[in-house]
Amino acid sequence: AALTPECRFSAWTLGGIACTAEVAVSAVLIWHIDLLYRVPRLGTRLERIRAMSAEALAANPRWRRLASIGVGIYTALPFSGTGPLGSTFFGQMAGLSRRTTLLGILGGSIASSALRAWGAVTLHGEMESLIRHPAMTAAGVLLTLALLVVLGRALRARNG
């Protein structure tokens, strides 16, 4: 069933379109992000970050798996600044391969699009107000901060 009388597409069809668009844009960015390395000063800093991340991930295969999953989760989060664009940058700066980054984005985009479509069908328009609720924003900020604290402690413990 269509979302509104004016819309001929179902929520699931719109979710599929959104997922396809997100992955297509991410693929273009992943294969052209190397252009940022040519920007004076920025390029050398980005290359240094990527090299440090790649070294850390190579030393610990468990972190590599977690980073791959993290790209998918970051894509699926319904908060400002997350999504496929941020995940593309995050995955590349984390030293993940293009393929791994794109697969993580694909998984996160499928999960996010399916959740939104299900919410549109089930909650009948209440999902947007739920997502924009201040408690949801606070939960997102707290979740992000908690994740940063946990990862920071793990990194400090590993480096002694």
Side-chain angles (χ1 to χ4, degrees):
L3 294 175
T4 65
E6 306 87 40
C7 181
R8 298 182 311 178
F9 300 109
S10 72
W12 294 101
T13 303
L14 291 173
I17 292 169
C19 180
T20 302
E22 287 179 345
V23 173
V25 168
S26 294
V28 170
L29 284 174
I30 287 171
W31 267 268
H32 292 90
I33 201 166
D34 292 340
L35 294 174
L36 286 176
Y37 296 120
R38 295 183 185 174
V39 177
R41 293 186 186 166
L42 176 66
T44 55
R45 290 181 182 168
L46 291 177
E47 188 59 47
R48 198 170 355 151
I49 291 169
R50 185 174 180 166
M52 287 172 30
S53 298
E55 183 180 315
L57 291 179
N60 193 337
R62 176 189 261 177
W63 282 23
R64 179 174 277 303
R65 284 189 296 275
L66 288 174
S68 304
I69 293 168
V71 168
I73 292 170
Y74 196 75
T75 301
L77 290 175
F79 305 117
S80 180
T82 64
L85 300 179
S87 295
T88 299
F89 191 74
F90 169 72
Q92 292 300 288
M93 288 303 103
L96 298 176
S97 70
R98 291 174 173 162
R99 180 177 162 256
T100 302
T101 301
L102 192 59
L103 287 174
I105 290 169
L106 175 64
S109 186
I110 288 171
S112 176
S113 296
L115 182 64
R116 288 184 197 138
W118 174 82
V121 170
T122 307
L123 300 175
H124 305 291
E126 295 297 320
M127 190 165 181
E128 184 174 346
S129 63
L130 180 65
I131 289 173
R132 297 195 188 284
H133 194 277
M136 288 294 285
T137 303
V141 169
L142 290 175
L143 179 66
T144 303
L145 290 174
L147 183 62
L148 288 173
V149 167
V150 167
L151 291 176
R153 286 183 180 170
L155 185 61
R156 270 190 245 113
R158 182 183 179 277
N159 291 334

